[in-house]
Amino acid sequence: MDINLVDDASTEPIYQRMRGAAAKQFSITEVSGIGQGAYLYDDPQLGPHLATYDGNLNLEISLIPRGGTVPDATTLLTQVATGTLAKLRA
């Protein structure tokens, strides 16, 4: 998990740069309902990733499979991201 917080600014520019870099290498899928923007991609070597931003918070979560694939990775990543954003806002 990688978390970036900035003072008095949006992390959207960070999110957009990361999204652009991911889109050059992987097929990305937009995800709604998490922060102000979110997307998923699957790195064949490092596993599935979810990135999101909300205000001054930028969050990227990875699931690194050990010896195989991660079943229902999208649901797991979405739940972790939603819960983490809620805790960091509290």
Side-chain angles (χ1 to χ4, degrees):
M1 183 179 297
D2 184 27
I3 300 171
N4 293 299
L5 292 167
V6 297
D7 291 331
D8 300 325
S10 172
T11 59
E12 183 179 9
I14 297 168
Y15 170 84
Q16 293 297 345
R17 280 193 304 273
M18 289 173 48
R19 186 183 181 289
K24 289 179 182 177
Q25 297 180 33
F26 311 104
S27 174
I28 63 171
T29 303
E30 296 298 320
V31 179
S32 61
I34 305 173
Q36 292 177 274
Y39 64 91
L40 288 160
Y41 67 93
D42 190 20
D43 181 326
Q45 294 181 342
L46 300 176
H49 291 64
L50 182 140
T52 185
Y53 86 98
D54 193 25
N56 69 333
L57 170 66
N58 189 52
L59 173 68
E60 183 169 355
I61 304 169
S62 308
L63 286 176
I64 302 172
R66 294 185 181 187
T69 61
V70 178
D72 211 7
T74 298
T75 299
L76 292 171
L77 288 168
T78 300
Q79 290 173 343
V80 170
T82 302
T84 301
L85 288 176
K87 293 288 185 184
L88 291 172
R89 282 190 213 112

